[in-house]
């Protein structure tokens, strides 16, 4: 097969479309003929040598893909060869073929293009596990999403609205904020000109904050929480080390969570398999009926993965960037 391989660590130029060994499914796995792969910030970090793949995982980039099942490994009985699927992966999606645990597959609903489906597994698992399984977001509560125009943000807006929550978003341009409003955001905050703490506090504070900035926003996020609020940190774009004002958190009976999906165990409590099972049961019907749709800024050929990384790094994308085979 062909795959994107790294010629060392560094900029997008280190990614090369070249021949690689064909993978084979083991017990409980399936082989997928890849149609498309989603591009995530974790891929950018791995390319730079800052986020290595977990032990035993493919070193090829890519945490999600869509395609058609080409082969079943031993012990797989709930899927069929030829089935249209998308998959949550620990690596390997930037390739013509990839092996995936059967427990991390989702069926592609009728009417949904395979290319679009590649934009869903990682954001669906991240958003659902953090907003619902971790923070317990409920109807009527206010959710603050930092980076409303990101792949995570555009998905989280739709999921939160489907749950009956109110949504506040931050973004760096009025154009992105307008597009967030079209997806269902209620409170629009330009982080370049507006104070998100003041804006959210005027609305009663955020019951849940989904944060990708990390250290840079830690103090202000705590200030923006409502009583009994949950701050969920899923990224460190603003740094990894910050100072937490425990007194401020205590006054609000608040909770800070820090989570990721990639390094979770494959099975068991809190695992990737458990998250995907809950996503399929509760979120996937909303995808099937069109209530939650993938938002894709650009599709590029997989051989042009470098351009996809440059686009994501530029901050210009609204929604996801995908690579097609």
């Amino acid at each position: 097969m062909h795959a994107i391989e790294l010629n060392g660590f560094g900029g997008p130029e280190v990614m090369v479309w070249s021949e690689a060994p064909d993978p084979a499914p083991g017990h409980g796995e399936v082989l997928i003929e890849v149609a498309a792969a989603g591009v995530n910030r974790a891929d950018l970090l791995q390319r730079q040598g800052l986020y290595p793949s977990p032990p035993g995982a493919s070193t090829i980039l890519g945490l999600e893909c869509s395609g058609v099942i080409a082969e079943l490994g031993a012990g797989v009985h709930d899927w069929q060869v030829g089935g249209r699927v998308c998959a949550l992966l620990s690596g390997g999606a930037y390739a013509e073929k990839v092996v995936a645990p059967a427990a991390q597959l989702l069926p592609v609903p009728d009417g949904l293009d395979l290319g679009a489906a590649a934009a869903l597994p990682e954001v669906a698992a991240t958003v659902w596990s953090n907003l619902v399984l971790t923070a317990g977001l409920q109807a009527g509560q206010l959710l603050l999403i930092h980076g409303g125009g990101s792949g995570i943000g555009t998905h989280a807006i739709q999921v939160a609205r489907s749950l009956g929550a109110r949504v506040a978003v931050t973004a760096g341009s009025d154009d992105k904020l307008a597009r967030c409003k079209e997806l269902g955001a209620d409170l629009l905050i330009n982080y370049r000109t507006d104070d998100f703490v003041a804006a959210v506090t005027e609305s009663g504070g955020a019951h849940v904050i989904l944060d990708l900035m990390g250290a840079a926003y830690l103090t202000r996020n705590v200030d923006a929480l409502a009583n009994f609020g949950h701050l969920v940190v899923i990224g460190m774009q603003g740094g990894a080390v910050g100072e937490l004002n425990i007194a401020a958190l205590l006054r609000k009976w608040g909770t800070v969570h820090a989570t990721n999906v990639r390094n979770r165990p494959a099975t068991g409590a809190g695992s990737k398999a458990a998250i995907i099972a809950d996503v399929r049961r509760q979120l996937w019907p909303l995808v099937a009926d069109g209530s939650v749709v993938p938002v894709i800024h650009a599709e590029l050929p997989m051989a042009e993965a470098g351009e996809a990384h440059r686009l994501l790094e530029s901050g210009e994308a609204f929604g996801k960037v995908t690579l097609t085979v």
Side-chain angles (χ1 to χ4, degrees):
M1 69 172 186
H2 282 80
I4 292 290
E5 296 198 319
L6 298 180
N7 183 20
F9 297 117
E13 67 278 359
V14 303
M15 294 187 292
V16 181
W17 184 240
S18 57
E19 290 188 356
D22 286 352
H27 189 276
E29 297 178 330
V30 305
L31 178 67
I32 299 172
E33 293 275 0
V34 175
V39 179
N40 294 280
R41 288 200 172 269
D43 305 341
L44 277 57
L45 293 173
Q46 184 174 340
R47 187 202 75 219
Q48 297 170 56
L50 302 175
Y51 192 18
S53 54
S58 172
T59 58
I60 295 171
L61 300 178
L63 303 181
E64 60 187 342
C65 76
S66 63
V68 175
I69 296 176
E71 184 181 344
L72 304 178
V76 177
H77 305 293
D78 296 334
W79 300 93
Q80 295 181 340
V81 172
R84 299 189 334 137
V85 296
C86 53
L88 178 69
L89 305 166
S90 295
Y94 288 22
E96 293 176 322
K97 300 177 183 179
V98 69
V99 164
Q104 292 170 212
L105 300 182
L106 290 161
V108 175
D110 292 340
L112 182 62
D113 178 73
L114 273 177
L120 285 171
E122 177 70 17
V123 294
T126 299
V127 168
W128 192 260
S129 64
N130 285 291
L131 296 190
V132 179
L133 301 182
T134 297
L137 182 66
Q138 298 177 18
Q141 292 186 329
L142 178 63
L143 165 68
L144 170 61
I145 304 167
H146 289 301
S150 65
I152 293 289
T154 55
H155 188 80
I157 293 168
Q158 298 177 77
V159 171
R161 289 310 303 252
S162 295
L163 295 171
R166 297 175 294 136
V167 179
V169 297
T170 65
S173 73
D174 291 339
D175 176 65
K176 284 188 175 182
L177 290 172
R179 297 177 72 179
C180 289
K181 184 176 181 179
E182 292 175 357
L183 291 173
D186 304 285
L187 180 59
L188 311 174
I189 305 164
N190 188 323
Y191 65 76
R192 300 184 190 277
T193 58
D194 302 327
D195 180 355
F196 75 79
V197 176
V200 170
T201 301
E202 287 177 6
S203 297
H207 300 92
V208 179
I209 299 176
L210 188 63
D211 174 62
L212 45 71
M213 291 301 293
Y217 277 14
L218 182 58
T219 297
R220 285 183 287 167
N221 277 333
V222 171
D223 291 341
L225 281 176
N227 288 342
F228 302 101
H230 296 265
L231 166 60
V232 188
V233 182
I234 61 170
M236 298 176 290
Q237 292 182 37
V241 180
E243 184 172 291
L244 174 64
N245 186 334
I246 297 175
L249 194 65
L250 280 170
R251 285 195 295 270
K252 296 185 175 184
W253 304 277
T255 304
V256 178
H257 310 266
T259 79
N260 67 30
V261 172
R262 187 182 194 184
N263 291 307
R264 287 176 182 258
T267 60
S271 66
K272 285 177 273 194
I275 291 171
I276 291 298
D278 210 64
V279 164
R280 184 174 182 180
R281 182 169 58 251
Q282 299 198 64
L283 174 58
W284 223 236
L286 300 176
V287 174
D289 69 16
S291 299
V292 174
V293 299
V295 177
I296 299 176
H297 180 86
E299 288 184 349
L300 287 82
M302 193 168 287
E304 298 178 15
E307 287 303 313
H309 279 218
R310 291 185 183 95
L311 177 57
L312 196 59
E313 286 175 325
S314 74
E316 297 175 1
F318 183 84
K320 297 279 290 193
V321 177
T322 60
L323 300 170
T324 58
V325 177

